[in-house]
Coordinates of all heavy atoms in Angstrom, one line a residue:
N69 N 81.0 112.1 99.6 CA 81.0 111.1 98.4 C 82.4 110.9 97.9 O 82.8 109.8 97.6 CB 80.1 111.7 97.3 CG 78.7 111.6 97.7 OD1 78.3 110.8 98.4 ND2 77.9 112.5 97.1
K70 N 83.2 112.0 97.9 CA 84.6 111.9 97.5 C 85.4 111.0 98.5 O 86.2 110.2 98.2 CB 85.3 113.2 97.5 CG 85.3 113.9 96.1 CD 86.2 115.1 96.3 CE 86.2 116.0 95.0 NZ 87.0 117.1 95.2
Y71 N 85.1 111.2 99.8 CA 85.7 110.4 100.8 C 85.4 108.9 100.7 O 86.3 108.1 100.8 CB 85.3 110.9 102.2 CG 85.8 110.0 103.3 CD1 87.1 109.9 103.6 CD2 84.9 109.2 104.0 CE1 87.6 109.0 104.6 CE2 85.3 108.3 105.0 CZ 86.7 108.2 105.3 OH 87.1 107.4 106.2
L72 N 84.2 108.6 100.4 CA 83.8 107.2 100.2 C 84.5 106.6 99.0 O 84.9 105.5 99.0 CB 82.3 107.1 100.1 CG 81.5 107.3 101.4 CD1 80.0 107.1 101.1 CD2 81.9 106.2 102.4
F73 N 84.6 107.4 97.9 CA 85.3 106.9 96.7 C 86.7 106.7 97.0 O 87.3 105.6 96.7 CB 85.1 107.9 95.6 CG 85.9 107.5 94.4 CD1 85.5 106.5 93.6 CD2 87.1 108.2 94.0 CE1 86.2 106.1 92.5 CE2 87.8 107.9 92.9 CZ 87.4 106.8 92.1
N74 N 87.4 107.7 97.7 CA 88.8 107.5 98.1 C 89.0 106.3 99.0 O 90.0 105.5 98.8 CB 89.3 108.8 98.7 CG 89.5 109.9 97.7 OD1 89.6 109.7 96.5 ND2 89.5 111.1 98.2
F75 N 88.1 106.2 100.0 CA 88.3 105.1 100.9 C 88.1 103.7 100.2 O 88.8 102.8 100.5 CB 87.2 105.2 102.0 CG 87.4 104.1 103.1 CD1 88.4 104.2 104.0 CD2 86.4 103.1 103.1 CE1 88.5 103.2 104.9 CE2 86.5 102.1 104.0 CZ 87.6 102.1 105.0
D76 N 87.1 103.6 99.3 CA 86.9 102.4 98.6 C 88.1 102.1 97.7 O 88.5 100.9 97.6 CB 85.6 102.5 97.8 CG 85.2 101.2 97.1 OD1 85.3 100.1 97.8 OD2 84.9 101.2 95.9
F77 N 88.6 103.1 97.0 CA 89.7 102.9 96.1 C 91.0 102.4 96.9 O 91.6 101.5 96.6 CB 90.0 104.2 95.3 CG 91.3 104.1 94.5 CD1 91.4 103.3 93.4 CD2 92.4 104.8 94.9 CE1 92.5 103.2 92.7 CE2 93.6 104.7 94.2 CZ 93.7 103.9 93.1
L78 N 91.2 103.2 98.0 CA 92.4 102.8 98.8 C 92.2 101.5 99.5 O 93.2 100.7 99.7 CB 92.7 103.9 99.8 CG 93.3 105.2 99.2 CD1 93.4 106.3 100.3 CD2 94.6 105.0 98.5
N79 N 91.0 101.2 99.9 CA 90.8 99.9 100.6 C 91.0 98.7 99.6 O 91.6 97.7 100.0 CB 89.4 99.9 101.2 CG 89.2 98.7 102.1 OD1 90.2 98.2 102.7 ND2 88.0 98.4 102.3
N80 N 90.5 98.9 98.4 CA 90.8 97.8 97.4 C 92.2 97.7 97.0 O 92.7 96.7 96.7 CB 89.8 98.0 96.2 CG 88.4 97.8 96.6 OD1 88.1 97.1 97.5 ND2 87.5 98.4 95.8
F81 N 92.8 98.9 96.8 CA 94.2 98.9 96.3 C 95.2 98.5 97.4 O 96.1 97.7 97.1 CB 94.5 100.3 95.8 CG 95.9 100.4 95.2 CD1 96.2 99.8 94.0 CD2 96.9 101.1 95.8 CE1 97.5 99.9 93.4 CE2 98.1 101.2 95.3 CZ 98.4 100.6 94.1
W82 N 95.1 99.0 98.6 CA 96.1 98.8 99.6 C 95.8 97.6 100.5 O 96.6 97.3 101.4 CB 96.2 100.0 100.5 CG 96.9 101.2 99.8 CD1 96.4 102.3 99.4 CD2 98.3 101.2 99.4 NE1 97.3 103.1 98.8 CE2 98.5 102.5 98.8 CE3 99.4 100.3 99.5 CZ2 99.7 102.8 98.3 CZ3 100.6 100.7 99.0 CH2 100.8 102.0 98.4
S83 N 94.7 96.9 100.3 CA 94.4 95.8 101.2 C 95.4 94.7 101.1 O 95.7 94.0 102.1 CB 93.0 95.3 100.9 OG 93.0 94.7 99.6

Side-chain angles (χ1 to χ4, degrees):
N69 292 331
K70 267 188 186 178
Y71 170 70
L72 287 178
F73 175 72
N74 288 339
F75 182 75
D76 187 44
F77 173 73
L78 288 175
N79 193 23
N80 291 336
F81 181 70
W82 288 110
S83 64

